[in-house]
Amino acid sequence: MAAHHELIQATACRIVDQLRSGEVTPLDLLDALERRISEVDGAVNALPTLCFDRARRHAAELMKKPQSERGVLAGLPVPIKDLTAVEGVLTTQGSPIFKDHVPTRSDLMVEHLEASGGVVYAKSNTPEFGAGANTFNEVFGATRNPWDLSRSAAGSSGGAAAALASGTAWLAHGSDMGGSLRNPASFCGVVGLRPSFGRVAHTPAAKIDRNLGVQGPMARNVEDVALLLDAMSGEHAADPLSLPSPASSFLTAARSRARPLRVAFSPDLGITPVDPEVAAITRKAAERFAEAGVIVEQAQPDLSEAHECFHVLRAFDFAISKAELLRTKRDLLKPEVIWNIEQGLALSVDDLARAEAQRVAMAARTITFFETYDLLLCPATITAPFPVEQRYLAECNGHKFDNYVEWLGIVYAITLVCCPALSLPCGFTSTGLPVGLQMIARPRNEAGLLAGAALLEDVLGLRGSTPIDPRPAPASL
């Protein structure tokens, strides 16, 4: 029992060291995960699809190789978000349309991750087609927040974040278009990193240069996120926009704790309401950078076109990728997905041209901003975790949103300007719910982002807050 508990509590970096020394095997880790899942995931519903037989076959093959050939992860198990194909494993995309779909080939991101020593043992829950920042669907139901089971785990990588927080994963794969790595990380008190597009190769679909959405890593701390980013990164001929791995690893960058000289904090990026308690917690966390000798000032780039721009480009993405489903399977789609596709089909060339011009202008202003500041800090979400039955956040601080995605502006604005960004646990509300600080760097500067995040993580002293046993809602007073 003690050994099982110690394994679940250990960091991913520590376990990789143990794998390399022979202290544990990939099979030991799978046994520990299977036991932990049986103990806690019934309440959380983070990992609805398990594939332990496949994982053990893969682990056994990996163990036949010398240690030097077992890759960055050396046999560490990783769950894959249910939007992404895994060969021979049920992959539903959270949709009744694909409730029985078993791919015959994995996405090349999964192939690359397995070649890097990752062992896939589960699929993590996601909303239908990743639409909406609350993880529920008609196939598997809702994923619940381990900090308070009556609350949302956010989304769309909500299953991944909840698995990390509840100890059914050490590392987790996710994806992000409008904050889907960052929102659930904030809600669940873990770290989620949206890389620059091209950093993680994936199988192109619908459009070669489709770049609003990217694949990325999640973990319980910054060094573990860097480790998984190392395992996920690298160019691939099948993804023409993929980037080569850097000369020095992202884990080395994180461990350098290289200090940024000047950072900016913005409570709202100038574009969104924010819950006052969340704003206060994130401001206090950002200001603590000064304890490490960093200059902290309030500033932000001009992102005023973000809502209009993202609404158009996101709708276009849904149109090119899901229009056929609307024509043939409309009765099986949830209302939000139908709305997204129809919005996209109604766009004109002029609409698209205007949105692309807005994106170019915002990106240029943001790059100029990073000539003065090394990092930009702001809330990762504008609210604390809300009730799981609530489909989305309808209003905040007196402001009613026009649609179900507008409340995500503080993260999708950063998607538009092509910057890597992560959510770092930075404190708790008065009711004990996690809050995340969004940390943003210039395009392709994941190394500087990870170094600064690891430094601030040290200052804040919150590393090790997860995993936790799932907690029921507190009794009413």
Side-chain angles (χ1 to χ4, degrees):
M1 180 67 178
H4 159 73
H5 179 75
E6 289 170 7
L7 270 181
I8 293 301
Q9 294 288 326
T11 68
C13 287
R14 169 62 179 150
I15 289 179
V16 167
D17 288 342
Q18 291 177 308
L19 286 165
R20 289 174 177 156
S21 70
E23 186 177 343
V24 299
T25 71
L27 295 173
D28 295 330
L29 302 179
L30 291 170
D31 289 346
L33 285 170
E34 193 165 29
R35 179 173 175 177
R36 180 66 176 176
I37 289 168
S38 70
E39 292 169 348
V40 304
D41 200 52
V44 177
N45 192 31
L47 303 176
T49 299
L50 305 177
C51 52
F52 276 101
D53 288 346
R54 181 186 188 277
R56 288 189 171 96
R57 290 194 300 270
H58 182 194
E61 289 301 312
L62 193 65
M63 289 166 64
K64 294 176 183 178
K65 298 180 179 180
Q67 284 289 352
S68 60
E69 297 178 13
R70 296 188 189 179
V72 173
L73 296 182
L76 188 70
V78 182
I80 302 298
K81 186 175 178 179
D82 199 27
L83 296 183
T84 300
V86 177
E87 179 185 3
V89 180
L90 181 67
T91 300
T92 73
Q93 301 185 63
S95 172
I97 296 170
F98 296 106
K99 64 183 177 64
D100 300 315
H101 176 59
V102 178
T104 56
R105 181 170 181 181
S106 295
D107 186 280
L108 67 87
M109 185 283 302
V110 175
E111 293 177 355
H112 180 79
L113 189 62
E114 291 183 324
S116 298
V119 176
V120 176
Y121 66 98
K123 301 300 293 294
S124 60
N125 205 19
T126 183
E128 185 177 16
F129 301 122
N134 186 4
T135 299
F136 64 90
N137 60 63
E138 292 187 14
V139 183
F140 297 120
T143 294
R144 294 176 177 271
N145 193 318
W147 291 91
D148 178 344
L149 292 170
S150 73
R151 300 282 165 164
S152 168
S156 60
S157 305
L164 290 164
S166 59
T168 57
W170 291 285
L171 300 173
H173 155 264
S175 60
D176 186 303
M177 175 185 282
S180 292
L181 282 155
R182 293 162 284 168
N183 291 308
S186 177
F187 271 27
C188 293
V190 297
V191 182
L193 190 157
R194 176 193 165 92
S196 304
F197 59 77
R199 183 64 69 197
V200 176
H202 66 283
T203 301
K207 189 170 181 277
I208 286 290
D209 60 345
R210 188 178 172 204
N211 57 45
L212 288 181
V214 300
Q215 314 282 315
M218 303 181 79
R220 300 175 197 156
N221 63 67
V222 175
E223 287 190 6
D224 286 358
V225 155
L227 173 73
L228 184 52
L229 185 58
D230 281 327
M232 297 176 78
S233 296
E235 63 183 334
H236 194 292
D239 180 354
L241 297 186
S242 58
L243 300 173
S245 297
S248 182
S249 74
F250 292 115
L251 181 56
T252 298
R255 287 176 170 169
S256 76
R257 304 308 200 259
R259 178 171 60 89
L261 297 179
R262 186 186 302 270
V263 305
F265 172 76
S266 172
D268 55 12
L269 293 185
I271 60 170
T272 182
V274 177
D275 177 86
E277 186 177 22
V278 169
I281 291 167
T282 52
R283 179 184 293 277
K284 182 178 178 181
E287 289 174 346
R288 291 197 64 190
F289 238 147
E291 296 174 27
V294 179
I295 298 170
V296 183
E297 300 175 343
Q298 182 160 324
Q300 78 248 345
D302 178 2
L303 301 171
S304 54
E305 304 102 325
H307 296 300
E308 180 185 1
C309 176
F310 187 75
H311 178 78
V312 170
L313 297 183
R314 183 177 188 273
F316 177 59
D317 187 270
F318 268 85
I320 62 173
S321 61
K322 304 289 187 299
E324 182 63 20
L325 292 179
L326 182 68
R327 286 190 284 267
T328 61
K329 308 286 186 182
R330 184 187 182 102
D331 59 324
L332 295 176
L333 296 171
K334 72 177 183 180
E336 291 88 347
V337 171
I338 293 172
W339 178 80
N340 278 301
I341 300 169
E342 289 183 337
Q343 290 284 312
L345 293 174
L347 293 171
S348 68
V349 172
D350 286 344
D351 293 328
L352 292 171
R354 176 176 170 82
E356 293 290 0
Q358 290 172 329
R359 188 179 188 188
V360 168
M362 285 188 292
R365 294 195 295 265
T366 301
I367 290 168
T368 299
F369 180 86
F370 281 117
E371 293 174 3
T372 301
Y373 297 100
D374 297 305
L375 298 172
L376 171 61
L377 315 177
C378 66
T381 55
I382 64 171
T383 185
F386 49 74
V388 69
E389 298 84 6
Q390 192 174 318
R391 293 177 77 93
Y392 59 92
L393 191 69
E395 61 180 286
C396 179
N397 203 21
H399 175 84
K400 292 186 177 180
F401 296 113
D402 291 337
N403 55 66
Y404 88 107
V405 294
E406 187 187 343
W407 74 277
L408 304 171
I410 206 159
V411 276
Y412 66 58
I414 303 307
T415 292
L416 292 171
V417 295
C418 313
C419 292
L422 64 76
S423 177
L424 180 74
C426 71
F428 297 89
T429 66
S430 59
T431 56
L433 295 172
V435 174
L437 179 71
Q438 185 173 202
M439 304 183 68
I440 305 148
R442 61 174 171 77
R444 300 190 181 183
N445 189 25
E446 286 88 350
L449 174 62
L450 288 162
L455 179 62
L456 185 57
E457 184 180 53
D458 289 345
V459 172
L460 295 174
L462 295 176
R463 186 170 52 247
S465 298
T466 52
I468 60 170
D469 291 334
R471 301 173 181 177
S476 300
L477 297 179

